[in-house]
């Protein structure tokens, strides 16, 4: 029969921007508030087993993924529950626990300790093998963990706007934004930001700082790069080096869920180029800037309308 894997929602999640394991969070992909996977009760006591038998399917993999949290207790709980699904079909050879290993992008922000979460997970796999005589292959998806801090958005301060009175701010307006890094607008992610002199000279760095709101270049009120921590719908001010128009802005922690999740071509902004710095320190362009023609090349003229 057809070989398949079954993605299961184990009933709990762990999102990096929410402490709840069952409530809604944009980075929580498990639990009753998530649409990802087949609800666990439908796997253990529902139509899934019947469908597998009816169509002669061969289940070789169980897959769960709970979000971007890093609570070791939740990981152990989900690992144990995932293995219980593996017991349903003796054809299962692999258990995929997904990814979501939290990465600390900012000072003081914790990063998942793989040893801490790995030890109890290893134990439940060993217990499963001893109880069933089946040694499963553990699969994980550590993409963000590996590359999140390997990339940065490099852009320019193209304007500086000041509003006064109650609720006034100083805004740094960039020549980049949600078209390049969507995470702050989408779910209030916090990225480290550094302002460097446009001259490129370290002697011009200076020591003066100011409290600013950093915003993108789109005609979109949600295009801001400094949401208030814990309040993704609110503007957050960041204490940064005093900037001038033409200075460089570097947003670190942009190696994952940034280029691939960008809203490129919104407001007709082109896809940004990408540069890879080799081990020898030399830069290499690995994606060129998109041209205007490439933005609209798939549009078709309809005869008779204009």
């Amino acid at each position: 029969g057809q070989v398949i894997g079954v993605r299961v929602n184990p009933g709990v999640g762990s999102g990096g921007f929410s402490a709840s394991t069952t409530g809604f969070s944009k980075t929580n992909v498990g639990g009753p508030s998530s649409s990802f996977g087949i609800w666990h009760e439908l796997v253990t006591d529902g139509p899934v087993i019947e469908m597998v038998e009816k169509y002669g399917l061969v289940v070789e993999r169980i897959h769960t993924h709970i979000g971007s949290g890093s609570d070791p207790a939740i990981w152990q709980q989900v690992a144990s529950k995932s293995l219980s699904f593996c017991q349903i079909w003796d054809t299962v050879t692999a258990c995929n626990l997904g990814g979501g290993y939290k990465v600390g992008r900012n000072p003081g922000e914790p990063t998942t300790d793989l040893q801490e979460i790995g030890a109890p997970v290893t134990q439940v796999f060993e217990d499963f093998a001893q109880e069933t005589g089946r040694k499963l292959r553990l699969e994980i998806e550590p993409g963000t963990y590996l590359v999140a801090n390997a990339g940065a958005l490099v852009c320019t301060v193209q304007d500086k706007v000041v509003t006064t009175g109650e609720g006034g701010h100083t805004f740094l307006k960039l020549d980049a934004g949600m078209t390049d890094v969507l995470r702050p607008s989408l779910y209030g992610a916090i990225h480290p930001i550094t302002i460097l002199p446009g001259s490129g000279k370290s002697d011009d760095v200076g020591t003066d700082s100011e409290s600013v709101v950093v915003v993108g270049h789109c005609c979109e009120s949600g295009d801001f790069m400094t949401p208030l921590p814990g309040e993704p719908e609110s503007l957050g001010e960041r204490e940064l080096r005093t900037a001038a128009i033409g200075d460089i802005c570097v947003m670190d922690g942009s190696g994952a869920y940034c280029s691939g999740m960008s809203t490129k071509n919104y407001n007709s902004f082109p896809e940004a180029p990408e540069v890879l710095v080799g081990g020898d320190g030399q830069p290499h362009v690995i994606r060129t800037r998109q041209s205007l023609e490439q933005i609209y090349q798939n549009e078709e003229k309809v005869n008779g309308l204009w």
Side-chain angles (χ1 to χ4, degrees), residues 177-180 182 217-223 262-271 290 295:
M178 58 186 282
T179 49
D180 309 285
L182 183 61
H217 56 178
C218 291
C219 183
E220 170 60 58
S221 59
D223 187 13
S262 66
T263 59
K264 63 181 181 182
N265 299 164
Y266 184 71
N267 285 167
S268 296
F269 285 114
E271 185 177 48
Q290 188 182 34
I295 294 177

Side-chain angles (χ1 to χ4, degrees), residues 148-176:
N149 285 328
L153 172 67
V154 181
C155 50
T156 303
V157 178
Q158 64 176 356
D159 198 6
K160 196 169 184 178
V161 173
V162 177
T163 58
T164 60
E166 185 178 355
H169 300 282
T170 297
F171 295 89
L172 297 186
K173 305 185 76 171
L174 308 178
D175 64 351

Side-chain angles (χ1 to χ4, degrees), residues 1-6 52 55-61 91-93:
Q2 175 67 48
V3 177
I4 65 168
V6 177
V52 168
Y55 295 103
L57 304 175
V58 179
V59 181
E60 71 167 7
R61 176 178 287 97
T91 54
V92 173
T93 59

Side-chain angles (χ1 to χ4, degrees), residues 10-91:
V12 296
S14 182
F17 300 101
S18 171
S20 173
T21 61
T22 57
F24 174 73
S25 167
K26 289 181 179 179
T27 56
N28 185 336
V29 292
S33 297
S34 172
S35 66
F36 293 93
I38 301 173
W39 186 244
H40 61 98
E41 292 175 345
L42 298 178
V43 176
T44 57
D45 186 24
V48 177
I49 296 177
E50 297 176 3
M51 292 176 65
V52 168
E53 295 177 354
K54 179 179 178 179
Y55 295 103
L57 304 175
V58 179
V59 181
E60 71 167 7
R61 176 178 287 97
I62 294 296
H63 180 226
T64 57
H65 176 56
I66 58 174
S68 59
S70 57
D71 188 329
I74 298 177
W75 273 100
Q76 183 175 13
Q77 176 187 349
V78 171
S80 299
K81 198 161 189 175
S82 298
L83 289 175
S84 72
F85 305 133
C86 295
Q87 288 184 318
I88 298 175
W89 296 282
D90 58 14
T91 54

